[in-house]
């Protein structure tokens, strides 16, 4: 039997945002992600290693979550590898503390969390936007057991993998 609890996002993840200035793009180097790359976490834009080292003390790593926060607010994806990635301010980086990332990513897509994000977006901003600090104030409902989260998260990961395989066929 699952036991559920309500928590604030900032209790279960550390939240970061990307660079605020438009970078100097180049043909190769460190891949640069923005809101339009959320579904694949792949991009044809790159920045130099020097710019990356200067601007990124914290960057996406395997099992971190990237979430859109400008334009499209609240779409998530789990980072699946440790290759270096830079990201723009239009994305938030969520580094989980002890929650299964696939469970968390899917829980964040629930109507409950999406409404919480929508309620905290800037109402006068065009395009729609949520400030980094407001993300952490959103409530989420989680399984109280890390073991249960892992089982549910593995299930979602397997479904995502199957969808990816079918899309390639």
């Amino acid at each position: 039997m699952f036991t559920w609890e309500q928590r604030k996002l900032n209790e279960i993840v550390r939240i970061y945002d990307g660079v605020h200035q438009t970078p100097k793009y180049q043909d190769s180097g460190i891949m640069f992600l923005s809101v339009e790359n959320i579904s694949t976490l792949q991009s044809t834009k790159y920045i130099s290693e020097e710019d990356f080292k200067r601007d990124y003390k914290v960057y996406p790593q395997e099992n971190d979550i990237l979430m859109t926060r400008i334009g499209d607010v609240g779409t998530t994806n789990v980072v699946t590898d440790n290759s270096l990635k830079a990201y723009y301010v239009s994305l938030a980086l969520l580094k989980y503390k002890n929650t299964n990332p696939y469970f968390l990513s899917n829980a964040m897509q629930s109507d409950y969390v999406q409404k919480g994000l929508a309620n905290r977006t800037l109402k006068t901003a065009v395009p729609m936007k949520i400030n980094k600090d407001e993300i952490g104030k959103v409530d989420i409902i989680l399984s109280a057991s890390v073991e249960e989260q892992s089982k549910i998260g593995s299930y979602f990961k397997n479904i995502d993998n199957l969808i990816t395989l079918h899309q390639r066929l």
Side-chain angles (χ1 to χ4, degrees):
M1 183 66 141
F2 293 124
T3 306
W4 300 93
E5 63 184 10
Q6 181 175 316
R7 311 262 309 268
K8 299 283 184 204
L9 274 172
N10 64 8
E11 295 174 18
I12 57 173
V13 295
R14 292 180 310 277
I15 304 167
Y16 304 90
D17 62 358
V19 294
H20 290 244
Q21 71 277 5
T22 302
K24 181 180 171 196
Y25 298 120
Q26 53 186 45
D27 293 333
S28 63
I30 308 298
M31 186 170 45
F32 186 83
L33 299 170
S34 188
V35 68
E36 66 268 9
N37 309 119
I38 193 67
S39 64
T40 62
L41 298 183
Q42 296 295 314
S43 173
T44 56
K45 294 179 181 176
Y46 299 90
I47 64 169
S48 71
E49 204 170 311
E50 298 79 41
D51 287 354
F52 180 82
K53 286 179 181 175
R54 181 192 67 225
D55 294 335
Y56 292 92
K57 306 300 178 238
V58 178
Y59 49 87
Q61 295 176 295
E62 185 175 14
N63 291 325
D64 288 343
I65 297 171
L66 287 167
M67 183 191 94
T68 56
R69 62 184 226 51
I70 297 176
D72 167 36
V73 173
T75 300
T76 60
N77 201 345
V78 178
V79 177
T80 58
D81 64 41
N82 279 317
S83 64
L84 295 179
K85 294 169 192 58
Y87 64 108
Y88 195 51
V89 67
S90 61
L91 295 173
L93 173 61
L94 309 178
K95 289 195 168 278
Y96 68 98
K97 296 174 182 173
N98 63 359
T99 304
N100 180 284
Y102 290 92
F103 175 85
L104 181 59
S105 180
N106 280 279
M108 290 180 67
Q109 297 309 304
S110 70
D111 286 343
Y112 183 73
V113 174
Q114 291 295 307
K115 285 177 186 172
L117 290 168
N119 287 340
R120 294 195 170 277
T121 59
L122 296 171
K123 304 302 181 216
T124 58
V126 177
M128 194 166 55
K129 170 183 173 178
I130 187 168
N131 287 329
K132 176 182 71 87
D133 294 339
E134 291 299 307
I135 296 168
K137 297 175 184 174
V138 172
D139 289 324
I140 188 166
I141 297 176
L142 300 171
S143 169
S145 163
V146 174
E147 182 182 337
E148 289 172 357
Q149 291 176 18
S150 292
K151 287 179 182 177
I152 295 168
S154 292
Y155 177 77
F156 285 129
K157 181 179 181 182
N158 290 335
I159 289 174
D160 288 345
N161 290 341
L162 282 173
I163 291 169
T164 301
L165 284 173
H166 283 288
Q167 288 173 339
R168 290 182 184 159
L169 297 177

